[in-house]
């Protein structure tokens, strides 16, 4: 199995400069990662850099809190697609989820799916560290009903990242109908293997090269 093409090589730090984005893109092309995941302001530049590489460009919407309105998330999505984004990682409306307003959660996701217009895959970030098991189940159901392509564990900017238990539960909930992306705190090849064994089909991390080499043990951050 080629693990490189399971990785979204990620840099979402507020202080990431253009030179950092360019380095990210060079690494992604060198290792053959599935995509780079960058903030919306860098989508067009990353797309231009990677146009001949086969590496896709992913960006984030409603990030990192998920508290933007559905209309704002839809606008962000349309703008990102226009700039060349191939994938959209949106943060669901966590406040509505915690309030039990699942129809609103689904409406929020549906707005992004509609704005993507089939031009970009949509991954829904649940922020599992903030949810109960029952809420994770409901969130997966909402994402599936809204027509999203993936559910994703985490932003990497909250109180915790991916866990094997959360990934396993998400896979149980969506079956074979959706992808599952694990992100946040995945810093080693062993971490990646555990997430894949639990049912993840995509990995989000900043140190992709480390995930491909069992002999490296440095500590890295995922954002």
């Amino acid at each position: 199995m080629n693990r490189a093409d399971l990785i979204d090589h990620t840099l979402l730090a507020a202080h990431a400069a253009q030179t950092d984005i360019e380095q990210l893109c060079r690494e992604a092309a060198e290792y053959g990662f599935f995509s780079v995941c960058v903030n919306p302001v860098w989508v067009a530049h990353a797309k231009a850099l990677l146009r001949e590489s086969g590496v896709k460009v992913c960006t984030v919407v409603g990030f990192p809190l998920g508290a933007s309105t559905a209309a704002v998330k839809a606008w962000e999505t349309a703008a990102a697609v226009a700039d060349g984004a191939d994938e959209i990682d949106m943060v669901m409306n966590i406040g509505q989820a915690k309030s039990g307003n699942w129809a609103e959660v689904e409406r929020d996701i549906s707005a992004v799916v509609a704005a993507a217009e089939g031009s970009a895959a949509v991954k829904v970030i649940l922020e599992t560290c903030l949810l109960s098991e029952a809420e994770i189940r409901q969130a997966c159901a909402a994402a599936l009903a809204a027509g999203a392509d993936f559910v994703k564990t985490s932003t990497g900017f909250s109180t915790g990242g991916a866990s094997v238990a959360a990934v396993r539960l998400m896979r149980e909930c969506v079956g074979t109908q959706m992808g599952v992306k694990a992100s946040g705190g995945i810093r080693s090849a062993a971490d990646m293997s555990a997430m894949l064994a639990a049912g993840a089909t995509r990995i989000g991390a900043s140190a992709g090269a480390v995930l491909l080499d069992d002999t490296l043990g440095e500590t890295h951050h995922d954002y």
Side-chain angles (χ1 to χ4, degrees), residues 3 11 17 22 37 43 48 62 66 74 76 80 83 87 101 117 130 136 146 158 171-172 188 190 196:
R3 290 192 169 194
L11 180 56
E22 290 167 353
C37 187
V43 167
E76 280 189 278
D83 280 345
E87 298 196 329
N101 296 331
E117 295 182 333
L130 302 180
I136 291 172
S158 190
R171 174 53 66 200
E172 176 190 322
S188 69
L196 295 176

Side-chain angles (χ1 to χ4, degrees), residues 42-206:
W42 299 117
V43 167
H45 189 51
K47 188 70 172 182
L49 291 172
L50 293 167
R51 194 172 302 280
E52 304 301 323
S53 71
V55 177
K56 296 185 182 297
V57 176
C58 173
T59 194
V60 289
V61 161
F63 195 86
L65 301 178
S68 307
T69 65
V72 169
K73 290 179 184 177
W75 185 92
E76 280 189 278
T77 299
V81 170
D83 280 345
D86 300 294
E87 298 196 329
I88 303 293
D89 284 18
M90 67 161 293
V91 187
M92 76 168 186
N93 193 317
I94 301 163
Q96 294 285 22
K98 298 301 292 185
S99 302
N101 296 331
W102 294 105
E104 286 302 307
V105 173
E106 183 179 332
R107 186 178 72 84
D108 185 65
I109 300 167
S110 294
V112 170
V113 171
E117 295 182 333
S119 299
V122 175
K123 309 190 203 86
V124 182
I125 304 173
L126 309 186
E127 205 69 284
T128 53
C129 62
L130 302 180
L131 305 179
S132 67
E133 180 178 321
E135 288 166 341
I136 291 172
R137 290 183 181 277
Q138 290 270 34
C140 288
L144 183 59
D149 300 286
F150 278 74
V151 284
K152 175 179 170 181
T153 59
S154 320
T155 62
F157 285 76
S158 190
T159 59
S163 70
V164 167
V167 170
R168 187 178 294 119
L169 176 59
M170 292 159 67
R171 174 53 66 200
E172 176 190 322
C173 291
V174 303
T176 59
Q177 298 177 79
M178 301 178 75
V180 174
K181 179 175 173 179
S183 65
I186 301 171
R187 299 186 177 95
S188 69
D191 290 340
M192 181 173 176
S193 293
M195 296 301 169
L196 295 176
T201 49
R202 192 79 63 81
I203 301 293
S206 63

